[in-house]
Amino acid sequence: MFARGLKRKCADHEEDMGGALAGFRAVPSYSLQRQSLLDMSLVKLQLCHMLVEPNLCRSVLIANTVRQIQEEMTQDGTWRVAAPQSTGRAPLDRLVSTEILCRSMREQDGVHPAPGMGDDHVLGPGSELSTVTSAQTPRDPQNSVWEMDSPRENRGNFQKSLDQIFETLETRNPSSAEELFSDMDSSYYDLDTVLTGVVSRAEPGPCDGLQGLPPVATPASSSSCKSDLGELDHVMEILVET
Amino acid sequence: CGLLCLAASSQHGVLRDHPGVPSTADIISTVEFNYSGDLLATGDKGGRVVIFQREQENKSRPHSRGEYNVYSTFQSHEPEFDYLKSLEIEEKINKIRWLPQQNAAHFLLSTNDKTIKLWKISERDKRAEGYNLKDEDGRLRDPFRITALRVPILKPMDLMVEASPRRIFANAHTYHINSISVNSDHETYLSADDLRINLWHLEITDRSFNIVDMKPANMEELAEVITAAEFHPHQCNVLVYSSSKGTVRLCDMRSSALCDRHSKFFEEPEDPSSRSFFSEIISSISDVKFSHSGRYMMTRDYLSVKVWDLNMESRPVETHQVHEYLRSKLCSLYENDCIFDKFECCWNGSDSAIMTGSYNNFFRMFDRNARRDVTLEASRENSKPRASLKPRKVCTGGKRKKDEISVDSLDFNKKILHTAWHPLENIIAVAATNNLYIFQDKVN
């Protein structure tokens, strides 16, 4: 472990070089580790978002981890995003962008860990990050993307992206544009309900009697059918923005 | 010599063998003994069920007693496509549960993510000969040639084991089914997915009752899912279900139709000194099992197995560390997704011992009375017939002793998620990816 003085020097150096020397430090700072954990988690969420069958338990656990990090970063005031890119993309895009991990290196310049946190919490690679605060994060209304210097705007957009992830987890975002547009024809639903009913009962079941009609759909499946239609806006939004 | 003298059975201890490059379809996804222990069912990722039967004692082959041989193989589930959501439904068998035997046939429930099926496995060792209307090939006889009537006679034939689906319980789960459990009334069973638990009657396939619903009104608020559920072994009104937040809720179906309010809530208070960003993930319970006595239950989280007294909700009565040396590796295990692996656990018949799996094809057994534990390995090299399994040890730091393996050398792709213990004897079944190992106590 480095002596206190030496570490601080490294941190100052890092500020000047804009994180370019990050790779030369043997022990990453707590905030850098936390940021990379956050980015890793967001990538995992996006990846499972794109998979055909997201594992709901895994997604919930990752999302809860992200929320914890977000809460802690809000608490110590490090929750902020760099100024919007000149290309004019909304901050939301950064969360869905695949260059998230690179971003963590660029944004570390100027991020000061809260006083007293720096040295006590420096850990070796692969170690745990400690002390999560359990403050409630207020759900802020969606502010304009272009509002300057407000950490709330980022939380609001961040919350929105988490929400969208869960909504589309429920409705299972179609993996291709063709399938997306085929859903818009509502007459398909009637046909597909019958097909689904027939497909799932394709095996011979002598004791089930006549199987001409599909079984009565449970309330859960018919409401998800309606919400599929209703959530198309969200799906379109995400696809268009990426 | 109890637990420590486990040896492979004389068939090299490896059944369901797949040398060479295994396909993912052969990966075993569930293992379950029936109530007598004579039958052992396995399900795999390809939707197949393979049932093994224990050989009866045979004087001409004295060493063959206790061997398990293939009894029946059938395709339980096929891949399906959900047209509404444009999603494929995997055929992987998530769970198999046997029904208590009531006649000559055997019944089991097998489930994939969406559909539960009741299978009947029956033997046929006689066939009828001497039909009037058809001859031995099965071709219809010319009616004009039939001059006399005869009574068909039953003659012995080679044993044939047939599996036929008797019930298909479909379309009741929006999310992925993780558990099924047969009730002690032998008439009903439960099926649990990530957010809901349904109660079925074994005779009725077009209707089920929802008894637990954890789905929030607003899916954006979703923070907890159901991970496992089981009926009490004796009290037909009691069930438990575990969650991703490390809690277990016990419900009594007599108190209300919808068991949204639990009767008991089991949660161990968190140790604030070990809190990290991974605390919740490693506290997520991957399996919950009642003891055979019904007095205790066991929960498996990522690093430990806990035994709970049903009368005490505040904390477990026992905590057994499975692989505590992984605690310092949680970040890497999060990165490679191993932290989300769902390990199962099981009791022995007398509830004196518990077993669960780990990585590197290791599995752990804990003797609750003697307070001893052992790490064993399920691998080809260690499973010479009738040779004892050697205890293994993981070196956690400092000098590595001979025969120890260091944490960094562990193979995290070789995970033992599924194990089963014979209900009466010291015989265990261990699934290592696509291989099944059976070990028996040498004293037998």
Side-chain angles (χ1 to χ4, degrees):
Chain A
M1 294 302 259
F2 293 138
R4 253 178 113 92
L6 194 58
K7 248 194 310 261
R8 228 173 257 130
K9 190 179 172 189
C10 280
D12 291 343
H13 206 184
E14 178 197 3
E15 279 176 66
D16 297 336
M17 304 296 287
L21 288 187
F24 288 87
R25 289 176 294 122
V27 180
S29 71
Y30 173 82
S31 59
L32 181 62
Q33 267 203 315
R34 182 176 61 186
Q35 183 66 48
S36 72
L37 180 65
L38 173 65
D39 294 338
M40 194 199 310
S41 304
L42 290 173
V43 169
K44 279 180 181 296
L45 275 178
Q46 291 303 317
L47 280 176
C48 74
H49 182 234
M50 288 184 264
L51 281 177
V52 177
E53 286 265 59
N55 179 331
L56 190 61
C57 183
R58 177 179 173 274
S59 305
V60 167
L61 289 173
I62 297 171
N64 289 351
T65 307
V66 167
R67 279 196 195 109
Q68 283 179 46
I69 297 173
Q70 176 207 353
E71 279 168 15
E72 187 181 288
M73 289 176 82
T74 307
Q75 277 276 301
D76 55 44
T78 53
W79 179 255
R80 65 178 195 80
V81 179
Q85 305 291 336
S86 53
T87 55
R89 287 156 55 203
L92 179 62
D93 288 318
R94 263 194 291 280
L95 295 170
V96 303
S97 162
T98 53
E99 55 182 13
I100 284 168
L101 288 172
C102 303
R103 172 175 72 88
S104 72
M105 292 301 175
R106 284 196 301 270
E107 286 182 346
Q108 281 315 298
D109 49 320
V111 173
H112 295 270
M117 262 190 55
D119 296 322
D120 293 339
H121 294 270
V122 176
L123 302 156
S127 303
E128 301 166 335
L129 304 173
S130 60
T131 327
V132 175
T133 54
S134 57
Q136 290 290 332
T137 307
R139 280 254 242 132
D140 291 309
Q142 307 270 345
N143 297 321
S144 160
V145 158
W146 305 110
E147 207 170 343
M148 293 300 293
D149 222 20
S150 162
R152 283 193 318 231
E153 123 212 341
N154 305 308
R155 267 187 283 146
N157 284 328
F158 172 77
Q159 194 69 44
K160 181 181 175 216
S161 73
L162 259 190
D163 298 344
Q164 281 172 334
I165 285 166
F166 277 117
E167 280 158 6
T168 51
L169 277 178
E170 188 190 8
T171 60
R172 304 293 194 272
N173 185 17
S175 52
S176 75
E178 289 167 45
E179 287 159 344
L180 170 64
F181 288 110
S182 76
D183 282 345
M184 294 174 76
D185 182 356
S186 62
S187 66
Y188 267 133
Y189 284 105
D190 299 330
L191 182 63
D192 287 336
T193 311
V194 173
L195 283 175
T196 310
V198 170
V199 162
S200 66
R201 286 169 161 274
E203 299 76 16
C207 288
D208 290 332
L210 293 173
Q211 296 176 28
L213 294 171
V216 173
T218 61
S221 53
S222 59
S223 70
S224 70
C225 166
K226 290 189 177 58
S227 63
D228 272 345
L229 285 172
E231 295 305 346
L232 272 177
D233 290 337
H234 285 286
V235 165
M236 293 288 289
E237 203 176 341
I238 289 180
L239 283 178
V240 163
E241 279 179 351
T242 51
Chain B
C1 52
L3 288 183
L4 302 175
C5 282
L6 285 179
S9 70
S10 58
Q11 294 166 280
H12 313 289
V14 180
L15 305 176
R16 227 192 139 115
D17 196 4
H18 293 283
V21 179
S23 78
T24 53
D26 297 324
I27 294 175
I28 300 171
S29 49
T30 185
V31 184
E32 186 81 356
F33 280 100
N34 73 338
Y35 283 78
S36 66
D38 283 340
L39 295 178
L40 174 67
T42 61
D44 67 19
K45 211 156 181 269
R48 261 182 329 213
V49 171
V50 179
I51 302 177
F52 300 89
Q53 184 187 45
R54 194 176 184 194
E55 288 301 319
Q56 297 308 307
E57 207 164 316
N58 189 334
K59 289 192 180 53
S60 60
R61 292 181 59 212
H63 292 303
S64 76
R65 183 184 177 274
E67 269 185 31
Y68 281 80
N69 296 315
V70 177
Y71 178 67
S72 171
T73 303
F74 58 93
Q75 187 74 31
S76 170
H77 287 70
E78 298 274 4
E80 288 173 37
F81 196 77
D82 182 337
Y83 295 97
L84 280 181
K85 298 176 179 175
S86 295
L87 286 176
E88 206 180 84
I89 300 171
E90 271 194 300
E91 67 275 31
K92 173 169 73 91
I93 308 294
N94 293 335
K95 283 283 164 13
I96 290 174
R97 290 287 183 262
W98 290 92
L99 266 57
Q101 192 174 10
Q102 284 165 337
N103 53 37
H106 299 277
F107 289 86
L108 61 80
L109 289 169
S110 71
T111 185
N112 68 348
D113 284 337
K114 296 283 184 180
T115 303
I116 306 131
K117 297 188 185 180
L118 175 69
W119 287 88
K120 175 180 179 183
I121 297 107
S122 48
E123 293 182 4
R124 189 199 290 259
D125 61 355
K126 289 185 263 293
R127 68 160 192 268
E129 273 182 16
Y131 284 103
N132 292 293
L133 295 178
K134 55 183 179 170
D135 56 24
E136 300 311 315
D137 301 338
R139 285 179 306 191
L140 290 173
R141 287 170 81 193
D142 189 354
F144 296 108
R145 287 161 161 256
I146 302 173
T147 52
L149 282 178
R150 54 188 179 172
V151 177
I153 321 168
L154 288 175
K155 288 202 173 158
M157 61 179 255
D158 288 338
L159 180 66
M160 212 167 67
V161 181
E162 301 169 323
S164 59
R166 306 305 282 175
R167 304 271 186 280
I168 296 176
F169 305 90
N171 298 320
H173 286 280
T174 307
Y175 304 97
H176 292 177
I177 297 173
N178 53 55
S179 311
I180 48 175
S181 178
V182 181
N183 204 348
S184 51
D185 63 8
H186 302 164
E187 287 183 350
T188 58
Y189 74 94
L190 66 79
S191 59
D193 66 29
D194 295 312
L195 294 178
R196 297 194 178 96
I197 302 180
N198 294 332
L199 180 71
W200 301 83
H201 192 285
L202 283 164
E203 300 289 323
I204 299 169
T205 58
D206 61 356
R207 209 178 315 145
S208 70
F209 291 99
N210 175 246
I211 49 177
V212 173
D213 191 340
M214 281 191 71
K215 185 175 170 179
N218 191 352
M219 272 298 270
E220 300 159 6
E221 291 162 6
L222 179 64
E224 190 176 10
V225 300
I226 297 170
T227 51
E230 198 181 43
F231 267 123
H232 191 278
H234 311 307
Q235 296 169 32
C236 58
N237 52 297
V238 173
L239 64 108
V240 290
Y241 64 96
S242 59
S243 84
S244 56
K245 282 198 187 264
T247 66
V248 179
R249 291 170 176 84
L250 185 146
C251 296
D252 187 334
M253 295 196 292
R254 290 174 306 190
S255 54
S256 73
L258 185 60
C259 296
D260 270 354
R261 285 215 303 259
H262 48 263
S263 302
K264 296 198 185 191
F265 185 78
F266 298 84
E267 185 180 28
E268 181 167 30
E270 194 179 11
D271 175 11
S273 66
S274 65
R275 183 102 175 87
S276 77
F277 284 120
F278 304 111
S279 294
E280 183 182 316
I281 299 178
I282 63 169
S283 76
S284 174
I285 292 172
S286 51
D287 195 14
V288 62
K289 290 268 170 49
F290 278 106
S291 64
H292 291 92
S293 64
R295 278 195 56 200
Y296 299 96
M297 70 174 176
M298 164 167 59
T299 57
R300 173 72 156 100
D301 51 74
Y302 190 61
L303 296 179
S304 68
V305 182
K306 296 177 180 172
V307 177
W308 302 77
D309 185 326
L310 291 183
N311 296 317
M312 186 163 77
E313 301 165 55
S314 53
R315 56 186 159 78
V317 291
E318 292 167 28
T319 300
H320 302 278
Q321 302 302 336
V322 180
H323 36 220
E324 180 70 13
Y325 47 79
L326 296 182
R327 194 180 283 273
S328 57
K329 308 279 177 195
L330 290 179
C331 199
S332 312
L333 294 165
Y334 180 73
E335 196 172 3
N336 64 18
D337 265 11
C338 281
I339 208 174
F340 301 108
D341 286 336
K342 293 193 185 301
F343 292 94
E344 292 172 8
C345 53
C346 60
W347 298 85
N348 72 342
S350 61
D351 299 334
S352 65
I354 56 185
M355 169 167 64
T356 189
S358 179
Y359 294 104
N360 209 70
N361 280 347
F362 288 169
F363 59 99
R364 302 265 286 139
M365 300 172 86
F366 303 89
D367 184 332
R368 298 174 62 215
N369 298 333
R371 290 176 211 240
R372 283 180 316 176
D373 59 80
V374 67
T375 304
L376 300 170
E377 182 177 355
S379 70
R380 234 173 258 279
E381 300 77 47
N382 296 357
S383 304
K384 301 289 184 294
R386 280 184 288 280
S388 294
L389 288 180
K390 219 174 45 170
R392 305 304 308 261
K393 193 144 164 52
V394 176
C395 164
T396 53
K399 275 185 62 168
R400 186 176 75 87
K401 297 194 190 70
K402 179 178 177 289
D403 286 348
E404 281 186 357
I405 181 165
S406 73
V407 182
D408 298 312
S409 312
L410 294 175
D411 188 343
F412 290 94
N413 291 320
K414 294 185 179 167
K415 41 195 103 178
I416 293 184
L417 304 173
H418 311 287
T419 59
W421 207 315
H422 191 288
L424 302 166
E425 300 183 32
N426 272 347
I427 303 172
I428 59 173
V430 176
T433 316
N434 55 328
N435 289 317
L436 179 73
Y437 293 82
I438 305 228
F439 300 113
Q440 302 192 42
D441 194 346
K442 273 176 100 168
V443 174
N444 275 357

